Amino acid sequence: MTILIEADGAAAETFRFALGAEVVVTDSIPGAVRALEEAGRELLVVVGPDIELGAALQFAEDFRMQRPELGIVLLRRRVDVAMLGQALRSGVREVVSPEDLPGLGQACRRSLDVSRRMVGVNGQTEQHTGGRVVTVFAAKGGCGKTTIATNLAVALAERGRRSVCILDLDLEFGDVAIAMQLMPTRTIVDAVAMCGSMDETGVASLLTPHSPGVDCLLAPLEPGEASKIPVAVVTELLRTLRSMFDYVVIDSPPAFTEHVLAAFDVSDSYILLATLDIPALKNLRLTLDMLDMLGYPRESWHVVLNRSDSKVGLSVADVERTLRVPIAAQVPSSRSVSASINKGVPLVLDEPGHPVSNAIRGIALGRIAVQQTGAAGVLAQGKAKERRTLSFLRRGGAA
Ligand SMILES: Nc1ncnc2c1ncn2[C@@H]1O[C@H](COP(=O)(O)OP(=O)(O)OP(=O)(O)O)[C@@H](O)[C@H]1O
Ligand SMILES: [Mg+2]
């Protein structure tokens, strides 16, 4: 059931028609709060255009922490960027014009889709028994996604103690194969024919083995092949891979492609890369807003600062202030990283004692090492951060 907050009876009827679902209409925010308290299971509230903005955003803010699965769609006659930003930060999922009734219907369907994914059919949080899916993402290119993803996969495998698959979802320009010196015979393109009937045996035939515990599902050899891969292939692949491996690590392109969004939907953790430059931070802030808007729980996102010791006039504290989230881990800068990529051997294997390898192993094991950045405050905050981030990648806390 959807709750609609609208005092005008005629307008309420129009919106009710557009919403199509069973709708309870209330004329005020306190009325909606009462309805939510009584019913308990509602997944969507539509806030009418005449409800005062400040009160609507406060309502969204209050419920965002208490009931993250509850979607709030806001109707506004005028939408500007500042208001949109404010609304998204408060936890509103979408802002729609009251004139745009088809748009309202679509926004509500999208919000309900997200909410239903967050709760199981029985209202329980969805559980899965397979491995953990970890997406490494940055909306700006060159932040180090492939470097971190490949090294993280090797570190998680711990020389065969665990099984890890790295999926190269940079479908046009994937370079996991180069970074790991692999000659692919089969790639994700070969999964297309299996779509709809994928099973473990079929998917196993697409994998390229790398090192003990590490297998790779590589990106297409030609950029043009990316368009042949339906989004459904990614979802089905990830569900199958998760049943085969302890961890699936996804390397991604620097864009919110449909394939990336499908992977986000199946992921348990998101490693979001930041670097010490303003465009990367701006894009990361937008990414965080988007994850928030899509309702991915904040505990599942972890900001990792790559090249954290670069002397470029920005400190770690500046980054945390800009992003308004703590940095979960820092990976220092080193020329050995490029050398290892050129050599095709992940640094974690080639130089296990290197500070970059230690930092990435720290992420894999959940031991977030306090790096030698010299940034004031980081060392002091280290213990608290260590506790907060201790087990963000651990599987059932048992790794
Ligand atoms: N910690 C680091 N120290 C030094 N160099 C690094 C570090 N991390 C990444 N690099 C270098 O930065 C470049 C970009 O890294 P990488 O390819 O991993 O980024 P990416 O985010 O995958 O890029 P793209 O968006 O193009 O896929 C590479 O040359 C890599 O060697
Ligand atoms: Mg890359």
Side-chain angles (χ1 to χ4, degrees), residues 140-147 170 175 251-252 254 306-307 331-335 337-338 341 356:
K140 180 173 174 284
C143 287
K145 296 179 294 300
T146 304
T147 305
D170 190 345
D175 29 44
D251 184 21
S252 57
N306 189 23
R307 314 186 81 151
V331 178
S333 194
S334 167
R335 262 188 251 153
V337 174
S338 300
I341 291 200
V356 169

Side-chain angles (χ1 to χ4, degrees), residues 113-153:
D113 266 358
V114 171
S115 299
R116 287 185 186 125
R117 273 172 212 230
M118 292 172 76
V119 298
V121 275
N122 300 321
Q124 307 285 318
T125 300
E126 197 174 0
Q127 297 287 340
H128 62 78
T129 48
R132 232 177 136 68
V133 179
V134 181
T135 294
V136 180
F137 182 76
K140 180 173 174 284
C143 287
K145 296 179 294 300
T146 304
T147 305
I148 303 288
T150 48
N151 279 285
L152 182 64

Side-chain angles (χ1 to χ4, degrees), residues 5 33 63 80 181 186 194 225 261 264 270 351 399:
I5 314 179
V33 173
F63 277 91
D80 58 46
Q181 214 181 21
R186 321 242 2 225
M194 300 176 184
E225 290 183 308
L261 291 174
F264 271 27
Y270 310 88
E351 290 186 57

Side-chain angles (χ1 to χ4, degrees), residues 169-236:
L169 215 49
D170 190 345
L171 298 177
E172 290 189 272
F173 300 107
D175 29 44
V176 169
I178 291 176
M180 301 184 96
Q181 214 181 21
L182 295 170
M183 293 296 292
T185 49
R186 321 242 2 225
T187 70
I188 190 169
V189 176
D190 299 293
V192 175
M194 300 176 184
C195 192
S197 57
M198 235 175 255
D199 61 17
E200 295 187 8
T201 315
V203 171
S205 73
L206 308 181
L207 302 174
T208 308
H210 176 261
S211 50
V214 181
D215 283 279
C216 307
L217 184 39
L218 297 166
L221 301 174
E222 303 288 335
E225 290 183 308
S227 60
K228 296 181 192 161
I229 301 167
V231 174
V233 166
V234 173
T235 308
E236 205 177 344

